[in-house]
Amino acid sequence: MLDRKTRRLLRHALGEDNIMEGVQVKHYAVDGFQPQVVLIPRTRDHVERIVVLAHEEQLAVVPWGAGTQMGLGNPPRRVDLVVCLHHLNRITNLDPENMTITADAGIRLAMIQESLSRHGQGFLLPLDPPCGESMTLGGALSTNASGPCRLRYGTLRDMVVGIEVIIPGEVEHGGQTRAGGRTVKNVSGYDMGKLYIGSLGTLGIITEATCRILPPPEDRATVVGAFSGSEDPWRLVEALQESQLLPSCIEFYNRETASFLTTNSNVGFNSEGGAWAAVGFEGISEAVSRQIEDIERLARSDGVKEIQLLRGPREKAFWQRYGQIGFEIRKRNPWSIGLKVAVPLSAAQGMSKSIDDKLLRMDVAAYQLSRGGSGISYAHMPLSEKLYREKEKSLADMVEALREEAGDSDGASVVVEYAPPAFKEKVDVWGGVGGMLPIMERLKKEFDPQAILNPGRYVGGI
Amino acid sequence: MGKSQLVRKIESIVGKGNVLHRHTDLLVYEYDASLHRGLPDAVAFATSTDQVSQLVKLANSLGMPFLPRGSGTNLSGGTVPSHGGIVIELSRMNRILEIDEKNQRAVVEPGVYNLTLQNALAPLGYFYAPDPASQRVSTIGGNVGENSGGPLCLKYGVTTNHVLGMEVVLPDGAVVKMGGKALDQPGYDLTGVFVGSEGTLGIATKITVRIMRSPDAVKTFLAIYDSVEDAGQTVSDIIAQGIIPAALEMMDRLVIKAVEESVHAGYPLDAEAVLIIELDGLKDGMDRLAERVIEICKRNRVRNMEVAASEAQREKLWTGRRGAFGAVGRLYPSYLVNDGTVPRAQLPRVLKKVAEIGRKYNLPIGNVFHAGDGNLHPLILFDERDKQQLKLVSKASDEILQACVDVGGTISGEHGIGTEKLQAMWLLFGWKDLKAMWMVKRTFDPGNLCNPHKVLPGIETVEVSAAHAG
């Protein structure tokens, strides 16, 4: 329990207005664990004071951006303070000549994209994760969120050149640390950004990052095809690999996902299909046109039943809708489960089929989508409480079976991205990390000796 | 432990004849491509992960420092022992273990030369993007240690963007796998922090890299200028126009002269600067893109532009550029090369400052560098046998680094901190920033035996803290 002294210290550190107590805090629960207070810092200093105090008083802290991915991770061992970072939301440096942007972690990705698009010829941050509009930069960084265009542009670990983090293990020096810088090449010191990105806020609270940005492509388009069989898109990927084409994204999805996309966007298909593929191209106009021709030809020889070419607002609406799937499902069905499977490309088709077979046998529907060129698949299973309780054991067995099939060589993984807390009691959401766990535990002990940040939520119960 | 006992112990691990311990032999390993010197106690040639692990364990049992070394082309003293110890030489672990086209991956041992990998991939229609100028002789393991760049990194990224997994011998001798052919492994990105850690966090014994399809078409230009400023402005303008060439390199008059005398690639001896501009991608629209680039060069008073008409001609241009550091050896016996990197728009300003500093200390400075990503390489030319000159060179180098930091740049873009830039780290970071990095070092190497006294200054402070921690 937060004692009176601690509450007084918090009020002193942040100001009365920036502390939320009482019934409202229930909106900031993590896997059913409600915080005692919700803190809303206005400055980096505030964040630092919170970390210093939490470190001294051994209070469990959960950093919070827009809350789009709070389902990720094991249930926390404890939650005392939720720290909302949305007021740290400025762009501190936009340098179009150097093609970098520096922004506070609490800024929404949509705000970054909007500011970039309005500047000069327009720029973009090549990052398109699901829930991309509302997600904050800090949220994207701590979960290493990514979307379809990672095929061409990589993920945040490839884009971040500088980072600022407040670390509990540093509190005697004030807590704020910087690494990297503003240049696109930099080997001065260790590449700390790589550790912080994807660390689920367990090493420190990210307060700022500098990312590479790109000039806008001259032209872009998406080709969507409906196929009869679920094997067909995989043949298309093989054909693409052997060709000279450079798609910016290759996405496959199943019938459930296709029908989700049809509502609220203008991309309906006349024919019945078993599997869909959406392939995007960006770049100079002649190259985009040639690639559209080529992929249509490849798709036809692959037996595609129907093709649509999307451009402009229609293309935009399609991808926007595509990024909303997980969120919508979670909103409508709080007992839903989302899986992410990542394997080498050569094993991806097999894993996808395995997921299909298991779902069929369990009689559970799923919205499936695959990053076709990356070996990564997502299965979103909408579940009512009743259905969850019925299928709980089979679902847990499925995760274990998939992990067994994926194996642990080659860095393959099966992650439960969101699930009811009851499921998280049965299944470790992350899976194992093999011989690396001792190093990761030691790292955690260095950076957060009192284990105040998101305790228990990360791999191996870190 | 006496010397002969140490040697016997090492021999029992790697075999007789695979250890160097006589003074005359060790002298060859006293230096790398930097100006630093440090004699090891022994050099052991390892040929397997198990041998590396055993050597590390031996070093641990003796409380002796150790460090990995490939070809020793390190430019900052990273492969030279600071306090003696065992050099674990990896050049005999030089097999390409696997080229997996379906998964777009290759798995190599650390001693494989970068160019050997490129040459194995080219006939299959693939390439490995990080292409440091040293590629003929630098090893993939060395590239991993330094997070090497290369001309193509402007478009394709550096080593860390292309290394997806490793087998690593940790500083206590344990062998651990990190990452692999699949993406997004959960947990902290240990592979990511290891790349560029300059051999201070462990020794990579297997490396999984991304390979990419070779581009459909390539166009290479040599643009000739009568002023360095015009060439520099061209670089800024190309990027500002939203064009990202595959490579954008600059050389100035001094370097051009050395290079042309060395390779006879057709570089003009009377030019103040040249740019090598390479475009790659699909051939559709490439001509129009090329036109835009030519237009920008003309707007910046380019004297002449030549297009490489054949693969052979293109190769010659690149051979010249890659051989630049070696070529200046014709002019002076020694050089100190800076590696400061600045935001692109600051290039013209910093080049001016570099020239001023050269005049101030009366030292010739040649420039050859990756203009597209603002990574300078001022080559300060001198004779290291002249101790007075060496002092001036050191001062000049410090001022150049300060100039880079002053415009928001960094002290090393790709050559590493090593020993050379250890104190210069204070120009960029405060103690709390460095302490976070020490936390990483302590995590991997609590005994501080793995290539100690490199990359991170302030070890005195760390040791005191550890002592206080009890």
Side-chain angles (χ1 to χ4, degrees):
Chain A
M1 270 309 286
L2 242 59
D3 58 23
R4 291 221 328 250
K5 168 185 150 225
T6 310
R7 284 178 200 266
R8 194 167 22 94
L9 287 168
L10 282 171
R11 278 198 294 273
H12 182 75
L14 294 179
E16 188 95 39
D17 294 335
N18 298 321
I19 300 179
M20 189 196 293
E21 299 178 84
V23 291
Q24 301 171 76
V25 305
K26 71 172 190 272
H27 299 294
Y28 293 89
V30 179
D31 288 331
F33 285 76
Q34 279 186 31
Q36 311 220 28
V37 290
V38 175
L39 305 173
I40 308 164
R42 301 265 161 183
T43 64
R44 275 169 187 59
D45 269 346
H46 281 175
V47 181
E48 201 171 79
R49 288 178 211 170
I50 293 168
V51 171
V52 170
L53 189 61
H55 179 84
E56 275 164 18
E57 305 289 319
Q58 295 186 48
L59 300 167
V61 174
V62 171
W64 190 290
T68 58
Q69 300 186 86
M70 298 315 287
L72 191 57
N74 294 311
R77 280 199 296 272
R78 240 175 61 228
V79 178
D80 295 310
L81 314 170
V82 161
V83 181
C84 289
L85 294 151
H86 57 271
H87 282 301
L88 271 71
N89 63 358
R90 292 164 314 141
I91 291 173
T92 47
N93 182 263
L94 171 52
D95 189 347
E97 278 168 336
N98 190 40
M99 290 208 289
T100 53
I101 184 167
T102 306
D104 292 337
I107 192 172
R108 286 180 306 122
L109 289 180
M111 190 66 208
I112 295 180
Q113 302 289 23
E114 210 225 320
S115 305
L116 287 174
S117 67
R118 277 188 278 117
H119 197 100
Q121 51 169 309
F123 289 89
L124 51 101
L125 180 65
L127 186 67
D128 58 352
C131 303
E133 277 89 63
S134 27
M135 188 185 289
T136 62
L137 179 60
L141 289 166
S142 50
T143 58
N144 195 17
S146 64
C149 80
R150 64 175 294 166
L151 178 65
R152 183 151 175 195
Y153 299 112
T155 61
L156 280 164
R157 287 182 181 141
D158 301 305
M159 286 175 221
V160 169
V161 299
I163 196 161
E164 183 190 83
V165 181
I166 296 180
I167 297 176
E170 285 266 20
V171 292
E172 70 265 27
H173 300 289
Q176 288 185 40
T177 77
R178 293 185 156 275
R182 292 231 165 119
T183 56
V184 298
K185 286 175 72 183
N186 197 338
V187 295
S188 306
Y190 295 143
D191 194 349
M192 303 297 286
K194 292 287 193 318
L195 289 177
Y196 300 133
I197 297 169
S199 65
L200 208 65
T202 54
L203 298 177
I205 299 183
I206 300 171
T207 47
E208 182 190 272
T210 303
C211 302
R212 299 160 59 136
I213 55 179
L214 288 175
E218 205 176 71
D219 192 15
R220 54 173 299 165
T222 299
V223 176
V224 183
F227 296 85
S228 22
S230 55
E231 337 69 65
D232 299 334
W234 296 100
R235 272 205 307 273
L236 186 64
V237 164
E238 274 179 40
L240 275 171
Q241 260 195 307
E242 281 157 29
S243 74
Q244 285 293 346
L245 303 191
L246 299 166
S248 54
C249 63
I250 305 171
E251 297 286 306
F252 308 151
Y253 49 94
N254 66 352
R255 186 172 298 133
E256 280 84 342
T257 305
S259 66
F260 176 92
L261 291 171
T262 309
T263 49
N264 285 33
S265 81
N266 293 328
V267 192
F269 279 82
N270 295 323
S271 40
E272 266 296 299
W276 279 256
V279 184
F281 299 101
E282 312 183 343
I284 46 185
S285 325
E286 293 92 327
V288 173
S289 302
R290 176 254 172 110
Q291 291 180 93
I292 291 171
E293 265 178 47
D294 281 3
I295 190 125
E296 289 185 355
R297 200 173 11 95
L298 285 175
R300 282 200 186 92
S301 63
D302 197 24
V304 72
K305 296 176 70 175
E306 189 183 334
I307 296 181
Q308 290 200 32
L309 175 62
L310 307 178
R311 282 180 176 284
R314 247 181 119 219
E315 188 194 20
K316 188 157 184 223
F318 175 83
W319 289 114
Q320 211 158 34
R321 187 82 183 126
Y322 194 74
Q324 286 167 353
I325 292 173
F327 184 75
E328 292 275 320
I329 287 166
R330 288 199 295 277
K331 208 168 67 174
R332 281 188 244 151
N333 312 278
W335 291 80
S336 300
I337 293 176
L339 290 185
K340 174 184 176 185
V341 177
V343 294
L345 215 42
S346 58
Q349 187 175 358
M351 280 306 278
S352 202
K353 181 143 195 337
S354 186
I355 296 172
D356 278 342
D357 290 343
K358 289 176 172 59
L359 288 170
L360 198 60
R361 254 179 293 138
M362 279 194 303
D363 193 23
V364 169
Y367 295 76
Q368 291 187 68
L369 35 96
S370 297
R371 309 258 184 265
S374 309
I376 296 172
S377 297
Y378 296 90
H380 300 276
M381 293 169 278
L383 302 163
S384 63
E385 181 177 355
K386 178 165 175 292
L387 190 57
Y388 168 77
R389 298 233 178 264
E390 238 180 79
K391 308 286 178 184
E392 187 187 63
K393 174 139 195 342
S394 331
L395 288 163
D397 289 344
M398 176 171 91
V399 174
E400 294 310 322
L402 288 174
R403 281 187 178 148
E404 185 77 34
E405 276 171 56
D408 58 3
S409 60
D410 272 332
S413 61
V414 177
V415 174
V416 178
E417 290 208 311
Y418 59 88
F423 195 68
K424 295 188 182 187
E425 302 297 324
K426 297 208 130 32
V427 173
D428 177 337
V429 304
W430 298 106
V433 288
M436 292 190 290
L437 187 59
I439 306 172
M440 295 189 189
E441 286 171 336
R442 285 208 298 271
L443 209 54
K444 170 69 172 181
K445 198 92 183 56
E446 289 276 357
F447 282 74
D448 182 13
Q450 304 286 3
I452 62 170
L453 293 174
N454 278 331
R457 289 181 69 194
Y458 205 44
V459 300
I462 288 174
Chain B
M1 172 176 287
K3 192 62 174 289
S4 52
Q5 219 189 343
L6 173 67
V7 171
R8 270 203 307 279
K9 278 198 187 285
I10 298 177
E11 278 177 346
S12 73
I13 297 170
V14 296
K16 240 174 140 65
N18 293 323
V19 188
L20 298 179
H21 56 91
R22 286 200 294 265
H23 187 74
T24 40
D25 293 327
L26 294 178
L27 282 175
V28 177
Y29 285 85
E30 191 195 29
Y31 66 97
D32 56 21
S34 72
L35 295 167
H36 292 269
R37 303 275 180 273
L39 209 59
D41 286 286
V43 177
F45 291 86
T47 50
S48 73
T49 303
D50 185 57
Q51 284 181 5
V52 174
S53 168
Q54 285 189 60
L55 287 166
V56 170
K57 284 180 176 149
L58 173 64
N60 271 266
S61 70
L62 302 171
M64 196 172 227
F66 60 92
L67 63 130
R69 179 171 167 130
S71 297
T73 52
N74 194 288
L75 285 158
S76 48
T79 40
V80 165
S82 56
H83 287 67
I86 305 172
V87 167
I88 300 176
E89 225 277 11
L90 299 168
S91 61
R92 292 184 195 173
M93 290 179 69
N94 61 0
R95 296 176 299 161
I96 296 175
L97 299 172
E98 194 188 355
I99 294 178
D100 183 353
E101 289 175 70
K102 185 123 196 359
N103 285 312
Q104 298 179 330
R105 306 281 185 262
V107 183
V108 301
E109 288 185 324
V112 173
Y113 299 138
N114 182 293
L115 188 61
T116 305
L117 178 59
Q118 307 289 8
N119 290 340
L121 293 171
L124 302 170
Y126 285 87
F127 75 110
Y128 171 63
D131 63 336
S134 58
Q135 62 176 180
R136 274 182 116 154
V137 66
S138 66
T139 61
I140 300 291
N143 297 162
V144 165
E146 302 303 298
N147 190 15
S148 302
L152 290 180
C153 74
L154 172 60
K155 180 171 175 184
Y156 291 101
V158 292
T159 297
T160 193
N161 305 116
H162 297 274
V163 171
L164 298 158
M166 293 180 300
E167 174 190 80
V168 168
V169 173
L170 295 174
D172 67 356
V175 180
V176 106
K177 281 197 71 183
M178 305 172 172
K181 291 181 183 176
L183 297 169
D184 288 6
Q185 187 175 40
Y188 302 128
D189 185 6
L190 301 183
T191 304
V193 78
F194 192 93
V195 178
S197 62
E198 306 191 32
T200 60
L201 301 181
I203 301 179
T205 47
K206 281 194 181 62
I207 302 155
T208 302
V209 302
R210 170 186 290 127
I211 60 177
M212 303 173 76
R213 289 300 309 257
S214 300
D216 194 22
V218 178
K219 230 181 179 67
T220 313
F221 301 92
L222 181 69
I224 299 158
Y225 289 84
D226 292 315
S227 98
V228 169
E229 280 77 42
D230 288 343
Q233 194 56 52
T234 303
V235 171
S236 298
D237 288 352
I238 288 175
I239 309 280
Q241 283 268 318
I243 300 171
I244 316 261
L248 192 43
E249 302 281 301
M250 191 187 309
M251 293 193 287
D252 73 2
R253 190 189 182 115
L254 200 153
V255 177
I256 293 168
K257 180 166 152 49
V259 161
E260 185 55 23
E261 282 174 12
S262 171
V263 299
H264 312 295
Y267 286 103
L269 289 170
D270 59 343
E272 283 301 317
V274 295
L275 290 180
I276 302 178
I277 307 169
E278 188 161 283
L279 302 171
D280 76 9
L282 291 167
K283 57 179 173 312
D284 314 77
M286 182 159 288
D287 287 340
R288 184 167 56 89
L289 195 61
E291 275 309 312
R292 284 174 64 197
V293 169
I294 294 169
E295 174 56 44
I296 295 169
C297 294
K298 283 188 174 151
R299 269 213 311 271
N300 283 288
R301 291 180 289 252
V302 69
R303 186 213 289 179
N304 195 18
M305 280 193 85
E306 296 166 14
V307 188
S310 66
E311 178 58 33
Q313 244 195 341
R314 174 183 173 266
E315 237 339 280
K316 255 234 155 126
L317 283 178
W318 279 114
T319 306
R321 162 62 187 89
R322 286 194 201 107
F325 285 18
V328 298
R330 294 172 163 269
L331 309 175
Y332 290 84
S334 320
Y335 66 75
L336 188 154
V337 58
N338 271 121
D339 186 36
T341 302
V342 300
R344 295 168 177 107
Q346 304 297 330
L347 252 179
R349 194 165 134 194
V350 177
L351 285 171
K352 242 187 172 152
K353 195 90 185 76
V354 168
E356 267 171 41
I357 293 168
R359 285 193 295 274
K360 174 176 171 184
Y361 291 98
N362 199 23
L363 289 164
I365 302 183
N367 286 291
V368 47
F369 58 102
H370 314 292
D373 39 48
N375 193 170
L376 297 153
H377 291 318
L379 287 153
I380 307 173
L381 304 170
F382 67 110
D383 186 337
E384 76 183 274
R385 293 167 294 189
D386 177 345
K387 297 300 169 209
Q388 275 307 105
Q389 264 208 326
L390 192 52
K391 284 204 185 98
L392 294 178
V393 165
S394 191
K395 283 207 171 94
S397 173
D398 287 344
E399 280 186 35
I400 291 173
L401 285 183
Q402 185 68 60
C404 291
V405 173
D406 286 343
V407 298
T410 190
I411 60 179
S412 184
E414 58 187 8
H415 296 167
I417 300 301
T419 305
E420 184 190 74
K421 304 180 196 73
L422 205 59
Q423 295 312 316
M425 285 282 273
W426 295 109
L427 295 176
L428 288 173
F429 300 115
W431 174 237
K432 51 190 186 177
D433 307 317
L434 292 172
K435 180 155 177 247
M437 298 186 203
W438 274 108
M439 288 174 180
V440 176
K441 170 68 172 173
R442 266 209 308 246
T443 295
F444 280 84
D445 183 22
N448 197 29
L449 289 176
C450 189
N451 208 9
H453 301 269
K454 308 285 172 73
V455 186
L456 303 180
I459 183 172
E460 325 74 41
T461 318
V462 177
E463 280 182 332
V464 166
S465 303
H468 280 184

